[in-house]
Amino acid sequence: MAVALRVPPARPVFSAADRDDVARMVTEALATGSMTLGPRTVELEQAFAKRHQAAHAVAVSSGTAALEVALRIMGVEGRDVIVPTNTFFATAAAVLHAGGRVRFADVDPDTLSLSLETVQAALTPDTAAVVLVHIGGAVAPSSPEIAALCAERGIDLLEDAAHAHGSELDGRPAGSFGRAAAFSFYPTKVMASGEGGMVITDEQAFDDEARIYRDQGKAGFLGGDHVRLGYAWRMSELHAAVGIVQLRRLDEFLAIRRRAADAYDAGLAAIPGITPLPADLRVGSNYYKYLALLDPGIDRADVKKRLREEHGIGMSGEVYASPLHDQPVFQGIDHGPLPVAEDVCARHVCLPVHSDMTAAETDLVLTALAAVLS
């Protein structure tokens, strides 16, 4: 008989004070009629740019929109864009929607992210951009080397930082290595606004273009000609209000998630059959996901089923269970061998981590894992 769910796979965190703040800002927006591209959007943009040490931030309707806006500005139409095959659908789909050609690349087995070597293996004479995905919230340790390669070759680097709010590498924040970065505020993210995303950049011209693209390609919000083939990629003031209160709590959330990860690091050392990704002291992850690899031959679906039904532990979703080159929508895209991504996609699990995770909950997860894997 299945037990009640004791630790869910995800849990958005909004205190009573946070809910009151959101309600106040939403009431203000409804009363004034300023419901999109208003003062709360500006407030969120400015605060997010400051937190991530960027000169500019442009709020949009989703992380997917942030990716496509950035890729359109980078001019990838008709050219190749390198994308790791173990990423979310939107990373590759944004390339296609922007008119580019996806070039799938393999990843490093210790980080699940692109490495200098896997990028080099995927380069073509017509590579326009590389999309570097910070999987699970850990900034790719290879970011500086990949950035240097891109600069040397005249290739744009776009960071897909959908998982990486507040994460760092050697003290540098996620989003500071490429020409631009895209963040997501989907409900499961460390910082959520319900729906929404952000483009950050240090280039004034990039900022200007992003603002045009997000509002139907118009030269200005209050009027003007349509000068780009944009779309309805605006963030509403209601979503911005939620994002503002979440950003205020980001550092608190990171501290809690890192404590949970430390507990998992210590506890997994005594559990056979599962190994966390190797620690890299340079990486300050936000632990959007806590990643570990099951030993070959262990049935992941069975492990997750038993954890839920026998112990009430809901495992977080994989990143990702199936590589993109195996997805039906991407069939026909040419690619070389991708053995590492295929292996890690099949074997990894993500232990639940919440922004209000308790020590008792991490103990429950570890105890359940030990029972199931023994």
Side-chain angles (χ1 to χ4, degrees):
M1 181 177 178
V3 301
L5 196 63
R6 302 162 74 187
V7 182
R11 184 169 62 214
V13 176
F14 291 93
S15 69
D18 289 343
R19 296 195 296 272
D20 287 345
D21 278 349
V22 170
R24 175 180 55 80
M25 287 186 278
V26 168
T27 298
E28 178 185 80
L30 296 177
T32 63
S34 179
M35 296 179 68
T36 189
L37 298 187
R40 295 306 176 189
T41 301
V42 173
E43 180 181 348
L44 176 60
E45 289 172 336
Q46 292 176 344
F48 195 86
K50 182 178 180 180
R51 177 62 180 78
H52 291 81
Q53 299 177 25
H56 307 281
V58 182
V60 292
S61 57
S62 67
T64 306
L67 288 166
E68 186 172 343
V69 165
L71 288 162
R72 285 178 177 270
I73 296 168
M74 290 175 175
V76 304
E77 185 173 4
R79 301 187 65 197
D80 295 333
V81 179
I82 294 173
V83 173
T85 191
N86 64 317
T87 185
F88 183 53
F89 162 83
T91 312
V95 173
L96 298 179
H97 285 304
R101 296 190 299 261
V102 172
R103 178 77 174 169
F104 288 126
D106 211 350
V107 293
D108 185 291
D110 290 338
T111 67
L112 277 60
S113 297
L114 291 175
S115 68
L116 181 63
E117 293 74 21
T118 62
V119 170
Q120 289 172 326
L123 284 172
T124 73
D126 204 22
T127 299
V130 174
V131 184
L132 178 58
V133 182
H134 300 315
I135 291 291
V139 178
S142 58
S143 295
E145 291 78 19
I146 293 174
L149 173 68
C150 288
E152 177 187 325
R153 300 288 186 94
I155 296 169
D156 281 328
L157 178 61
L158 172 60
E159 292 175 69
D160 183 339
H163 295 178
H165 317 73
S167 298
E168 299 177 339
L169 174 69
D170 288 328
R172 288 182 60 179
S176 67
F177 296 90
R179 187 180 177 197
F183 291 80
S184 168
F185 303 142
Y186 189 71
T188 61
K189 299 298 190 290
V190 175
M191 176 189 157
S193 67
E195 292 286 357
M198 192 75 74
V199 179
I200 67 171
T201 182
D202 284 334
E203 298 179 22
Q204 180 65 60
F206 205 104
D207 174 89
D208 294 341
E209 285 290 300
R211 294 178 188 281
I212 291 170
Y213 271 110
R214 77 172 174 187
D215 189 25
Q216 301 285 11
K218 290 191 300 182
F221 177 43
L222 298 179
D225 293 334
H226 295 264
V227 296
R228 298 286 183 273
L229 192 61
Y231 204 71
W233 283 321
R234 298 174 297 270
M235 175 182 280
S236 78
E237 288 286 272
L238 314 185
H239 290 98
V242 181
I244 287 167
V245 300
Q246 286 271 285
L247 182 57
R248 291 173 185 167
R249 300 280 299 281
L250 181 58
D251 288 327
E252 175 190 343
F253 290 169
L254 297 187
I256 293 169
R257 298 176 85 94
R258 287 167 179 164
R259 283 200 297 270
D262 288 344
Y264 284 150
D265 286 344
L268 289 182
I271 300 175
I274 185 169
T275 306
L277 294 189
D280 188 327
L281 297 179
R282 298 176 299 156
V283 177
S285 178
N286 66 7
Y287 289 101
Y288 170 59
K289 301 281 188 177
Y290 183 94
L291 287 148
L293 290 172
L294 296 173
D295 286 357
I298 294 178
D299 186 331
R300 178 172 62 193
D302 182 64
V303 168
K304 293 175 66 175
K305 182 173 183 288
R306 290 186 58 197
L307 285 169
R308 176 177 287 274
E309 294 182 356
E310 298 173 16
H311 301 275
I313 306 298
M315 296 290 270
S316 183
E318 287 82 27
V319 284
Y320 289 88
S322 177
L324 290 184
H325 66 272
D326 283 344
Q327 294 290 324
V329 71
F330 297 122
Q331 293 304 299
I333 292 178
D334 186 41
H335 61 80
L338 303 165
V340 174
E342 289 171 350
D343 176 56
V344 297
C345 282
R347 289 198 295 121
H348 79 278
V349 291
C350 298
L351 278 58
V353 183
H354 311 139
S355 294
D356 61 350
M357 194 94 178
T358 66
E361 287 178 317
T362 55
D363 287 345
L364 281 171
V365 174
L366 290 166
T367 300
L369 272 170
V372 169
L373 292 174
S374 64

Short mmCIF file of all heavy atoms in Angstrom, two decimals, residues 259-284:
data_model
loop_
_atom_site.label_atom_id
_atom_site.label_comp_id
_atom_site.label_asym_id
_atom_site.label_seq_id
_atom_site.Cartn_x
_atom_site.Cartn_y
_atom_site.Cartn_z
N ARG A 259 22.62 23.96 2.18
CA ARG A 259 22.67 23.10 3.38
C ARG A 259 22.10 21.72 3.07
O ARG A 259 22.64 20.70 3.51
CB ARG A 259 21.89 23.75 4.53
CG ARG A 259 22.64 24.88 5.23
CD ARG A 259 22.08 25.15 6.61
NE ARG A 259 20.70 25.60 6.57
CZ ARG A 259 20.34 26.89 6.48
NH1 ARG A 259 21.27 27.84 6.40
NH2 ARG A 259 19.08 27.23 6.47
N ALA A 260 21.02 21.68 2.32
CA ALA A 260 20.44 20.39 1.93
C ALA A 260 21.42 19.60 1.08
O ALA A 260 21.59 18.38 1.27
CB ALA A 260 19.13 20.61 1.17
N ALA A 261 22.10 20.28 0.16
CA ALA A 261 23.08 19.60 -0.69
C ALA A 261 24.24 19.06 0.13
O ALA A 261 24.74 17.95 -0.13
CB ALA A 261 23.59 20.55 -1.76
N ASP A 262 24.69 19.81 1.13
CA ASP A 262 25.77 19.33 2.00
C ASP A 262 25.34 18.05 2.72
O ASP A 262 26.14 17.11 2.88
CB ASP A 262 26.14 20.40 3.03
CG ASP A 262 26.90 21.57 2.42
OD1 ASP A 262 27.41 21.43 1.28
OD2 ASP A 262 26.98 22.63 3.07
N ALA A 263 24.09 18.02 3.17
CA ALA A 263 23.59 16.82 3.85
C ALA A 263 23.55 15.63 2.90
O ALA A 263 23.92 14.50 3.28
CB ALA A 263 22.19 17.09 4.42
N TYR A 264 23.13 15.87 1.66
CA TYR A 264 23.13 14.79 0.67
C TYR A 264 24.55 14.32 0.37
O TYR A 264 24.81 13.11 0.25
CB TYR A 264 22.46 15.26 -0.61
CG TYR A 264 20.95 15.34 -0.55
CD1 TYR A 264 20.25 16.28 -1.32
CD2 TYR A 264 20.19 14.48 0.24
CE1 TYR A 264 18.87 16.36 -1.29
CE2 TYR A 264 18.81 14.55 0.27
CZ TYR A 264 18.15 15.50 -0.50
OH TYR A 264 16.78 15.56 -0.47
N ASP A 265 25.48 15.26 0.23
CA ASP A 265 26.88 14.88 -0.02
C ASP A 265 27.39 13.91 1.04
O ASP A 265 28.01 12.88 0.73
CB ASP A 265 27.78 16.11 -0.04
CG ASP A 265 27.62 16.96 -1.29
OD1 ASP A 265 27.06 16.47 -2.28
OD2 ASP A 265 28.09 18.12 -1.26
N ALA A 266 27.12 14.25 2.29
CA ALA A 266 27.61 13.43 3.39
C ALA A 266 26.88 12.09 3.45
O ALA A 266 27.50 11.03 3.64
CB ALA A 266 27.44 14.18 4.72
N GLY A 267 25.57 12.12 3.27
CA GLY A 267 24.78 10.90 3.41
C GLY A 267 24.97 9.90 2.29
O GLY A 267 24.98 8.68 2.53
N LEU A 268 25.14 10.38 1.07
CA LEU A 268 25.26 9.46 -0.06
C LEU A 268 26.56 8.67 -0.03
O LEU A 268 26.65 7.59 -0.65
CB LEU A 268 25.16 10.22 -1.38
CG LEU A 268 23.78 10.77 -1.75
CD1 LEU A 268 23.83 11.45 -3.12
CD2 LEU A 268 22.72 9.69 -1.76
N ALA A 269 27.55 9.16 0.69
CA ALA A 269 28.84 8.45 0.76
C ALA A 269 28.67 7.05 1.36
O ALA A 269 29.49 6.16 1.10
CB ALA A 269 29.83 9.26 1.58
N ALA A 270 27.62 6.85 2.15
CA ALA A 270 27.41 5.56 2.81
C ALA A 270 26.36 4.70 2.12
O ALA A 270 26.01 3.64 2.63
CB ALA A 270 27.01 5.80 4.26
N ILE A 271 25.84 5.15 0.97
CA ILE A 271 24.78 4.42 0.28
C ILE A 271 25.32 3.82 -1.00
O ILE A 271 25.77 4.56 -1.89
CB ILE A 271 23.58 5.34 -0.01
CG1 ILE A 271 23.01 5.92 1.29
CG2 ILE A 271 22.49 4.57 -0.77
CD1 ILE A 271 21.90 6.92 1.06
N PRO A 272 25.31 2.51 -1.15
CA PRO A 272 25.83 1.90 -2.38
C PRO A 272 24.87 2.11 -3.54
O PRO A 272 23.66 2.27 -3.35
CB PRO A 272 25.93 0.42 -2.01
CG PRO A 272 24.87 0.23 -0.97
CD PRO A 272 24.83 1.51 -0.18
N GLY A 273 25.43 2.13 -4.76
CA GLY A 273 24.60 2.17 -5.95
C GLY A 273 24.31 3.55 -6.48
O GLY A 273 23.68 3.68 -7.53
N ILE A 274 24.74 4.59 -5.78
CA ILE A 274 24.45 5.95 -6.21
C ILE A 274 25.66 6.83 -5.89
O ILE A 274 26.25 6.73 -4.81
CB ILE A 274 23.17 6.49 -5.56
CG1 ILE A 274 22.81 7.87 -6.12
CG2 ILE A 274 23.26 6.50 -4.03
CD1 ILE A 274 21.42 8.36 -5.71
N THR A 275 26.03 7.70 -6.83
CA THR A 275 27.20 8.56 -6.67
C THR A 275 26.86 9.98 -7.09
O THR A 275 26.43 10.20 -8.23
CB THR A 275 28.37 8.05 -7.54
OG1 THR A 275 28.62 6.68 -7.24
CG2 THR A 275 29.63 8.87 -7.29
N PRO A 276 27.04 10.97 -6.21
CA PRO A 276 26.79 12.36 -6.62
C PRO A 276 27.83 12.81 -7.64
O PRO A 276 28.92 12.23 -7.73
CB PRO A 276 26.93 13.14 -5.32
CG PRO A 276 27.77 12.30 -4.44
CD PRO A 276 27.48 10.87 -4.81
N LEU A 277 27.48 13.82 -8.42
CA LEU A 277 28.48 14.37 -9.34
C LEU A 277 29.67 14.89 -8.53
O LEU A 277 29.50 15.40 -7.42
CB LEU A 277 27.87 15.51 -10.16
CG LEU A 277 26.77 15.15 -11.15
CD1 LEU A 277 26.45 16.35 -12.03
CD2 LEU A 277 27.13 13.96 -12.01
N PRO A 278 30.87 14.78 -9.08
CA PRO A 278 32.05 15.23 -8.34
C PRO A 278 31.95 16.71 -7.94
O PRO A 278 31.49 17.55 -8.73
CB PRO A 278 33.20 15.01 -9.32
CG PRO A 278 32.70 13.98 -10.27
CD PRO A 278 31.23 14.20 -10.38
N ALA A 279 32.36 17.01 -6.72
CA ALA A 279 32.32 18.39 -6.24
C ALA A 279 33.41 19.21 -6.91
O ALA A 279 34.53 18.73 -7.11
CB ALA A 279 32.48 18.42 -4.73
N ASP A 280 33.09 20.43 -7.27
CA ASP A 280 34.06 21.38 -7.80
C ASP A 280 33.97 22.63 -6.93
O ASP A 280 32.95 23.34 -6.94
CB ASP A 280 33.74 21.71 -9.26
CG ASP A 280 34.83 22.55 -9.93
OD1 ASP A 280 35.45 23.37 -9.24
OD2 ASP A 280 35.06 22.36 -11.14
N LEU A 281 35.01 22.90 -6.16
CA LEU A 281 34.97 23.99 -5.19
C LEU A 281 34.86 25.36 -5.84
O LEU A 281 34.53 26.34 -5.17
CB LEU A 281 36.22 23.93 -4.29
CG LEU A 281 36.35 22.67 -3.42
CD1 LEU A 281 37.63 22.73 -2.60
CD2 LEU A 281 35.14 22.50 -2.53
N ARG A 282 35.11 25.43 -7.14
CA ARG A 282 34.98 26.72 -7.82
C ARG A 282 33.51 27.08 -8.09
O ARG A 282 33.19 28.24 -8.32
CB ARG A 282 35.72 26.68 -9.16
CG ARG A 282 37.23 26.45 -9.06
CD ARG A 282 37.83 26.33 -10.45
NE ARG A 282 37.25 25.21 -11.17
CZ ARG A 282 37.21 25.12 -12.51
NH1 ARG A 282 37.68 26.09 -13.25
NH2 ARG A 282 36.69 24.04 -13.08
N VAL A 283 32.65 26.07 -8.07
CA VAL A 283 31.25 26.26 -8.46
C VAL A 283 30.39 26.53 -7.23
O VAL A 283 30.37 25.73 -6.29
CB VAL A 283 30.72 25.02 -9.21
CG1 VAL A 283 29.24 25.20 -9.55
CG2 VAL A 283 31.54 24.77 -10.47
N GLY A 284 29.69 27.63 -7.24
CA GLY A 284 28.70 27.94 -6.20
C GLY A 284 27.32 27.71 -6.77
O GLY A 284 26.67 28.64 -7.26
#
